[in-house]
Amino acid sequence: GEPITDDSFLLLFNPHHESVRFQLPKPTDGMIWEVCFDTRNIAARKQPTVRKFYNLIHRSMAVLQEVPADPTASRMDRL
């Protein structure tokens, strides 16, 4: 069959009463982590990319997505 590819997401949860600093897994070559959603700032449309660590405030969650470091690259370029 043909290879099946999909987007990679990272879910971060912090139920603690203090902030937590998460060490992120190394993204795939040519990719970076971008914040899709963070409960600290629900109204934000586009959030910054993150490198090695992400600070999550108390009692919150965030969703990160692995996206191309070069926004002009297509998914097929990565296969």
Side-chain angles (χ1 to χ4, degrees):
E2 294 183 30
I4 298 174
T5 60
D6 200 358
D7 294 330
S8 294
F9 291 91
L10 182 62
L11 308 176
L12 305 175
F13 296 93
N14 180 12
H16 194 56
H17 67 274
E18 294 179 347
S19 295
V20 172
R21 183 179 188 211
F22 286 87
Q23 182 172 353
L24 304 177
K26 184 178 185 242
T28 308
D29 288 338
M31 305 291 276
I32 55 174
W33 289 111
E34 181 178 84
V35 179
C36 295
F37 178 82
D38 188 331
T39 56
R40 102 174 78 188
N41 190 5
I42 296 173
R45 288 289 213 181
K46 178 87 169 168
Q47 305 233 356
T49 57
V50 291
R51 301 281 183 222
K52 294 181 179 182
F53 300 97
Y54 192 75
N55 292 317
L56 198 57
I57 65 170
H58 61 283
R59 297 181 178 98
S60 63
M61 70 162 292
V63 178
L64 283 63
Q65 180 179 9
E66 197 177 45
V67 298
D70 176 5
T72 62
S74 73
R75 174 182 296 285
M76 295 309 292
D77 294 338
R78 300 188 313 263
L79 297 178

